[in-house]
């Protein structure tokens, strides 16, 4: 039987002995689930009161789908986006809605109509924002926007916390694996890195910023290339856990110990990926819930607003104090 805590899709998955993805597909009416499994999941959802609100059911009569719009070029099938989509699916289900991934054309226009849209992969001069604003369709951006509904983690603060932690451990030559420079998350985490260096009186060195593109393979190649070209650092802050693991693999292959010779910090605190890393945790379930709440506010004609979700540093085994003279 469920506890008094709010139920989650993960609770249903454990009770039904299926994956979280299977529960998500069953709740949202998507294919890929057998009839018997779907009925078992829905029966548990009804028994536990895991059902849409009455007000939301009225909306479902008009349209049931909220479209997920990925920015062009963004890697969709990553651990981060998988977790975010699961959290969005759960939050929408509780409002009587379902999630549907929708393609966009080159102008940023969705190729399918939906009740509203959630935009992932925030970046500069995003055509999706302009198109949807002109159409008057409810939408929310997971990222930072202007005069639109948006929600984002405190990414500048996250980059600052990661770098400040390394500085407090005595490191003075700190490299940074950044994400896509045109995307909000990578840009802001870099700003936090620079802020911490500036406060510590350490000059910013362009050559210590390595382009990781939120991709572990690219991160591996960039760190290996930098080290083989004699670029040296005693610590590295990666703008995602995936990049941190790519960097870790490169350092190991080079015979460089983590954290004995290079301390390493990631970002996201992803299950399995981030659990060995000192990392910055962002609250993905809260980001998803706030995104859905802002979308419903937009549907109801309320003034747009933006929300920042706090992050926090989680210290584990990949960072250590720098030995004097090392």
């Amino acid at each position: 039987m469920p506890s008094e805590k709010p139920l989650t899709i993960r609770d249903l998955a454990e009770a039904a002995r299926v994956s979280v993805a299977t529960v998500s597909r069953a709740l949202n009416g998507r294919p890929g689930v057998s009839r018997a499994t779907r009925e078992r999941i829905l029966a548990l959802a009804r028994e536990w009161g895991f059902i849409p609100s009455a007000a939301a059911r009225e909306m479902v009569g008009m349209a049931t789908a909220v479209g997920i719009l990925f920015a062009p070029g963004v890697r969709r099938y990553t651990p981060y986006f998988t977790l975010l989509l699961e959290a969005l699916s759960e939050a929408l289900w509780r409002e009587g809605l379902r999630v549907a991934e929708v393609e966009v054309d080159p102008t940023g226009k969705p190729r399918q109509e939906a009740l509203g849209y959630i935009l992932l992969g925030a970046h500069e001069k995003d055509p999706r924002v302009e198109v949807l604003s002109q159409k008057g369709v409810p939408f929310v951006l997971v990222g930072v926007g202007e005069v639109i509904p948006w929600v984002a983690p405190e990414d500048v603060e996250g980059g600052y916390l990661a770098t400040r932690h390394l500085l407090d451990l005595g490191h003075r030559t700190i490299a940074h694996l950044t994400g896509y420079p045109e995307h909000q998350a990578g840009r802001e985490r870099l700003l936090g890195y620079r802020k911490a260096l500036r406060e510590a009186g350490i000059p910013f060195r362009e050559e210590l910023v390595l382009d990781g593109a939120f991709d572990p393979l690219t991160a591996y190649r960039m760190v290996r290339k930098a080290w083989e070209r004699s670029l040296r650092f005693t610590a590295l802050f990666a703008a995602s856990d995936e990049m941190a693991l790519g960097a870790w693999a490169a350092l190991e292959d080079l015979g460089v110990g983590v954290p004995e010779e290079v301390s390493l910090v990631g970002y996201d605190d992803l299950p399995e990926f981030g659990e060995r890393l000192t990392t910055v945790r962002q609250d993905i379930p809260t980001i998803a819930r706030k995104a859905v709440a802002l979308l419903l506010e937009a549907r109801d004609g309320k003034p747009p607003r933006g929300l920042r979700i706090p992050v926090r540093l989680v210290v584990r085994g990949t960072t250590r104090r720098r030995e004097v003279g090392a």
Side-chain angles (χ1 to χ4, degrees):
M1 292 296 292
S3 68
E4 294 182 359
K5 296 188 301 180
L7 292 171
T8 67
I9 284 182
R10 195 170 300 279
D11 294 325
L12 285 176
E14 290 178 358
R17 298 182 180 180
V18 296
S19 69
V20 171
T22 297
V23 172
S24 177
R25 288 194 294 270
L27 295 180
N28 288 287
R30 297 203 298 268
V33 185
S34 71
R35 181 176 179 180
T37 300
R38 188 186 306 276
E39 289 178 352
R40 186 169 78 254
I41 293 168
L42 293 178
L44 275 172
R46 288 191 294 269
E47 178 185 346
W48 289 8
F50 196 90
I51 56 176
S53 67
R57 281 197 197 93
E58 295 179 9
M59 281 171 40
V60 173
M62 299 169 56
T64 63
V66 169
I68 303 296
L69 303 183
F70 280 94
V74 169
R75 293 172 57 240
R76 307 181 184 198
Y77 304 109
T78 66
Y80 171 77
F81 280 133
T82 297
L83 289 172
L84 181 57
L85 287 171
E86 287 177 358
L88 287 169
S89 179
E90 179 177 323
L92 288 166
W93 167 257
R94 289 186 176 278
E95 296 297 337
L97 302 170
R98 62 186 178 88
V99 64
E101 187 176 333
V102 175
E103 298 290 334
V104 296
D105 68 18
T107 70
K109 180 181 178 181
R111 295 187 184 276
Q112 292 175 255
E113 294 292 333
L115 172 73
Y117 299 95
I118 297 175
L119 281 56
L120 305 183
H123 60 285
E124 294 178 351
K125 300 178 181 178
D126 192 330
R128 300 171 300 171
V129 172
E130 183 177 355
V131 167
L132 293 174
S133 297
Q134 290 176 349
K135 288 171 65 69
V137 178
F139 73 93
V140 60
L141 175 70
V142 178
V144 179
E146 295 182 5
V147 201
I148 62 170
W150 61 266
V151 58
E154 292 277 8
D155 280 321
V156 175
E157 177 68 6
Y160 175 85
L161 290 174
T163 311
R164 182 75 257 175
H165 171 64
L166 294 168
L167 291 166
D168 289 344
L169 291 174
H171 296 280
R172 292 297 177 267
T173 308
I174 302 171
H176 176 47
L177 266 168
T178 186
Y180 305 110
E182 71 276 14
H183 284 196
Q184 169 259 318
R187 186 171 62 250
E188 290 198 345
R189 293 167 198 179
L190 173 60
L191 287 174
Y193 164 81
R194 297 188 66 157
K195 176 184 176 183
L197 293 179
R198 186 169 60 251
E199 285 188 2
I202 296 176
F204 172 74
R205 292 171 55 188
E206 191 73 44
E207 70 271 20
L208 286 173
V209 177
L210 312 177
D211 181 12
F214 290 123
D215 174 3
L217 180 57
T218 302
Y220 177 96
R221 289 170 174 165
M222 292 301 294
V223 169
R224 180 153 194 149
K225 180 179 179 181
W227 203 266
E228 289 174 342
R229 290 185 174 181
S230 299
L231 181 66
R232 292 293 182 265
F233 41 86
T234 66
L236 186 148
F237 160 46
S240 78
D241 288 346
E242 285 189 272
M243 285 195 291
L245 292 183
W248 195 347
L251 291 168
E252 283 189 341
D253 287 351
L254 291 162
V256 179
V258 174
E260 294 80 14
E261 296 172 83
V262 173
S263 285
L264 179 63
V265 180
Y267 202 107
D268 292 328
D269 196 23
L270 298 174
E272 298 183 14
F273 279 79
E275 62 189 13
R276 296 182 297 161
L277 288 165
T278 293
T279 188
V280 176
R281 175 180 296 165
Q282 58 170 310
D283 189 345
I284 294 174
T286 296
I287 291 170
R289 289 194 298 271
K290 295 299 184 181
V292 172
L294 290 171
L295 179 65
L296 297 180
E297 287 183 11
R299 179 211 63 184
D300 294 338
K302 295 182 179 179
R305 62 192 180 104
L307 294 173
R308 286 282 192 178
I309 307 302
V311 299
R312 70 183 183 90
L313 181 72
V314 180
V315 179
R316 297 194 179 101
T318 56
T319 53
R320 64 181 293 180
R321 181 164 296 279
R322 180 172 177 264
E323 300 296 334
V324 176

